[in-house]
Amino acid sequence: MSDQHIQSAFDRDLEYIQAKIMKMGGLVEDAIRHGAESVISRDEDLARQVRQGDACIDAITDKVNEDAARVIALRAPTAVDLRIILSVIKISTNLERIGDYAKNIAKRTTVLAKIYPVEENTRSLRRMASEVQYMLNDALDAYIKRDSKLAENVIERDQEVDQMYNGIFREYLTFMMEDPRSITPYMHLHFVAKNIERMGDHVTSIAEQVVYLVTGEKPDDGRPKADKTSLESATLRK
């Protein structure tokens, strides 16, 4: 078999795998949006759809990993091609984790629907979830276009998500101090906010994979994190 034929077969396999990645990305974007909306509106039916949809995301992840392993075994990819395949595996893993966080958020909807209602400013949560969703869309767009500049922009925007989370955390803490009855619901809402912040971290990891794929260099591991509430969160849980 000629080298050109082998490369063509690899390109077809990669295109097939990338189509799955993009489908998975669309499902995860929907999960982010619907998971957050189910909490904000206390929509248990929507939350159930998010939880059930996670199984499809997991199934695609498994198929992507199987296909990637098959390509490595059968096509004997070059160093550059191998880097593409390994990046695909890491991207699918990050997408799967984001889907898990969306499912976790949806689980809180059932709890919140049955406990003491609070007057929560939903704009903050909705804005934070929307930003993570847009970051994911841009990260996947950067992957398809091999656009390292766009990927670097996504990485920088993660600090904005961290800052949103910090503001939400302090807002909820103030509400809990003012009304002890609100402690339980705001603890659940804080869990939602923290899960959205972690989604942002996984989106950032996808963008970092794009930078590595395009440039062959890993982004600076020392990128600053704007989440300053870790110690506060641990104290609050005690």
Side-chain angles (χ1 to χ4, degrees):
M1 185 179 293
S2 68
D3 291 343
Q4 183 177 0
H5 184 80
I6 292 172
Q7 185 61 44
S8 297
F10 173 83
D11 290 341
R12 287 195 301 272
D13 288 340
L14 181 60
E15 184 177 346
Y16 182 68
I17 294 172
Q18 286 184 151
K20 283 187 170 62
I21 287 287
M22 298 312 295
K23 178 180 180 181
M24 188 179 179
L27 292 174
V28 172
E29 285 186 49
D30 288 343
I32 295 171
R33 182 173 66 255
H34 294 156
E37 188 59 39
S38 73
V39 168
I40 292 168
S41 61
R42 299 195 175 199
D43 187 334
E44 294 186 71
D45 289 336
L46 185 58
R48 190 177 303 109
Q49 292 176 28
V50 174
R51 296 197 302 272
Q52 292 172 346
D54 187 61
C56 183
I57 294 172
D58 291 344
I60 296 176
T61 302
D62 291 341
K63 191 68 172 71
V64 166
N65 291 339
E66 289 173 6
D67 289 346
R70 179 180 56 80
V71 170
I72 292 174
L74 297 179
R75 306 301 183 197
T78 64
V80 173
D81 290 341
L82 181 59
R83 191 167 74 204
I84 294 174
I85 292 296
L86 294 178
S87 294
V88 164
I89 293 172
K90 291 181 179 179
I91 289 171
S92 70
T93 299
N94 278 287
L95 286 172
E96 189 269 338
R97 291 298 299 131
I98 297 170
D100 286 344
Y101 283 124
K103 180 177 68 174
N104 289 343
I105 288 172
K107 288 179 179 178
R108 298 286 160 153
T109 299
T110 301
V111 178
L112 285 165
K114 294 177 172 57
I115 61 177
Y116 175 75
V118 291
E119 294 297 326
E120 192 268 327
N121 183 354
T122 58
R123 285 178 298 177
S124 298
L125 269 182
R126 183 178 279 113
R127 178 168 169 256
M128 187 178 175
S130 294
E131 177 58 25
V132 170
Q133 181 190 340
Y134 294 144
M135 285 172 59
L136 176 57
N137 182 276
D138 286 346
L140 293 172
D141 196 32
Y143 170 70
I144 292 298
K145 295 178 179 178
R146 301 295 193 262
D147 187 339
S148 61
K149 295 297 183 183
L150 179 57
E152 288 170 356
N153 175 261
V154 171
I155 294 170
E156 292 173 0
R157 282 154 59 190
D158 185 51
Q159 290 190 60
E160 297 177 18
V161 174
D162 291 340
Q163 290 168 358
M164 290 181 201
Y165 167 73
N166 292 339
I168 288 173
F169 174 84
R170 293 186 172 90
E171 182 181 27
Y172 290 175
L173 187 60
T174 299
F175 292 155
M176 286 188 279
M177 292 174 65
E178 291 176 348
D179 183 1
R181 294 176 301 171
S182 71
I183 291 176
T184 296
Y186 277 121
M187 285 293 289
H188 285 292
L189 289 170
H190 168 255
F191 174 90
V192 170
K194 186 61 181 175
N195 273 256
I196 296 173
E197 186 269 335
R198 287 172 176 166
M199 288 178 180
D201 291 341
H202 283 282
V203 173
T204 300
S205 293
I206 292 173
E208 289 172 346
Q209 281 300 311
V210 175
V211 174
Y212 175 64
L213 179 60
V214 175
T215 67
E217 298 179 358
K218 294 184 178 180
D220 182 12
D221 291 335
R223 71 181 178 86
K225 284 288 292 176
D227 177 7
K228 306 296 184 181
T229 66
S230 297
L231 180 58
E232 295 171 284
S233 299
T235 303
L236 187 61
R237 288 195 297 269
K238 291 182 178 178

